[in-house]
Amino acid sequence: SRMFSTVYQSSRIFGKSLVNDLVVEYMKEFGIPPFWLAGRDKNAHLATLIDRIGKAIVSGLRLLCVNRARLRRRLVSLLEDWAIVQFEADEMDQNRNLELRVQNPAFFFSWFVLDQKYTAMNLFLKLGFELELYAVHELVQIYWYMDYLLGHQITNQNNVITLAVQEHARHNPPQKTKPKKDKKDKNKNEDEKYPPPTFKAAHFVLAAYNSLSRGIFQLLSVLQLLNYVTIPHHQHGTPD
């Protein structure tokens, strides 16, 4: 579409930034330590994984440019693509844990991909409201499932932040005296450019959505118990 061609031009975002470079920055913003992403030029498997993730993200951007009904249908295919990437991310995490000798096993790539899947699944459910696909008696299950997905997504992000802070502290132990600056060394430490990750505003917005979904689910459950919301009786598929 014309909108997507504006965002994605000549294999670049807005015709300027390479997708894979933006993916790496996005991962660092998500909380993945810089050293976990280092060595793309020498590690073919890591470069391939980042390329796969970039293609999946571009596919997601393309879907956001279509109408809501088509978007919801195609999200199923996007989730299947992310499932394949998830398998590769799990394997890459296991290799990185062995290579870097991490004290506490971390699965940063897997958690990142899982976060993308949770986001797509939540969007799938939200589109059902916009398209008016849910009956009143189905809302209890829908809000329960939204509460379930959002809760797991928040837990997933907590795992990333917790382990990322631990790894940052391990790679940057406190120094009693200021180290002498080496004039010959022009390369700056990557960890200094990216301080320990902290919870962003988006994390708290997600927590607010989670609380709202849980509250609506509990309210609808009470209304259903009081028979204000009734489940229709269908003859087909029942003993009658």
Side-chain angles (χ1 to χ4, degrees):
S1 65
R2 186 174 301 177
M3 182 182 297
F4 179 71
S5 62
T6 302
V7 177
Y8 189 69
Q9 303 175 13
S10 303
S11 300
R12 296 171 179 262
I13 300 298
F14 295 112
K16 295 182 179 180
S17 304
L18 292 173
V19 174
N20 289 357
D21 291 341
L22 289 179
V23 168
V24 172
E25 294 301 320
Y26 181 23
M27 287 180 168
K28 292 176 181 178
E29 185 72 16
F30 180 70
I32 299 179
F35 67 86
W36 202 263
L37 298 162
R40 277 192 297 156
D41 52 340
K42 299 179 181 179
N43 192 328
H45 294 290
L46 177 59
T48 301
L49 175 61
I50 293 176
D51 185 64
R52 294 283 182 88
I53 292 175
K55 290 180 179 178
I57 290 178
V58 170
S59 297
L61 291 175
R62 181 182 288 108
L63 290 185
L64 293 176
C65 298
V66 301
N67 62 64
R68 313 307 275 174
R70 185 177 299 177
L71 169 59
R72 193 172 190 271
R73 291 196 302 268
R74 294 188 178 181
L75 275 175
V76 178
S77 177
L78 179 63
L79 285 169
E80 293 175 353
D81 293 340
W82 277 119
I84 298 174
V85 178
Q86 178 83 62
F87 177 79
E88 298 177 0
D90 292 341
E91 185 177 357
M92 191 67 228
D93 279 325
Q94 293 177 8
N95 294 335
R96 296 302 274 178
N97 279 311
L98 295 175
E99 293 171 3
L100 302 174
R101 298 179 180 179
V102 179
Q103 290 182 346
N104 299 319
F107 300 92
F108 289 115
F109 291 126
S110 301
W111 290 332
F112 177 82
V113 174
L114 190 59
D115 189 76
Q116 306 304 310
K117 291 167 65 177
Y118 281 136
T119 300
M121 294 168 73
N122 286 320
L123 178 59
F124 183 87
L125 293 177
K126 291 177 183 177
L127 288 172
F129 292 103
E130 295 186 26
L131 299 172
E132 299 180 354
L133 300 178
Y134 306 134
V136 175
H137 66 278
E138 295 176 328
L139 296 180
V140 177
Q141 289 79 13
I142 297 299
Y143 278 108
W144 172 85
Y145 193 40
M146 289 182 67
D147 173 36
Y148 176 83
L149 290 177
L150 291 168
H152 278 272
Q153 187 173 9
I154 292 172
T155 301
N156 182 62
Q157 293 182 2
N158 290 341
N159 292 335
V160 174
I161 297 297
T162 301
L163 278 180
V165 169
Q166 293 177 4
E167 288 302 315
H168 185 277
R170 187 167 70 92
H171 280 73
N172 297 273
Q175 298 178 355
K176 296 181 180 179
T177 59
K178 295 183 179 179
K180 296 181 180 180
K181 295 183 179 179
D182 189 358
K183 296 181 180 180
K184 297 181 180 179
D185 187 10
K186 297 181 180 180
N187 296 325
K188 295 182 179 180
N189 187 2
E190 283 294 323
D191 290 343
E192 293 179 358
K193 296 181 182 179
Y194 297 92
T198 57
F199 292 109
K200 307 292 190 301
H203 183 84
F204 297 105
V205 172
L206 202 65
Y209 274 119
N210 186 26
S211 299
L212 180 62
S213 299
R214 182 172 301 175
I216 295 176
F217 159 68
Q218 293 173 344
L219 174 62
L220 291 174
S221 298
V222 172
L223 293 176
Q224 194 173 64
L225 290 174
L226 296 175
N227 293 324
Y228 286 102
V229 177
T230 58
I231 300 176
H233 178 73
H234 297 286
Q235 295 182 355
H236 302 285
T238 63
D240 299 336

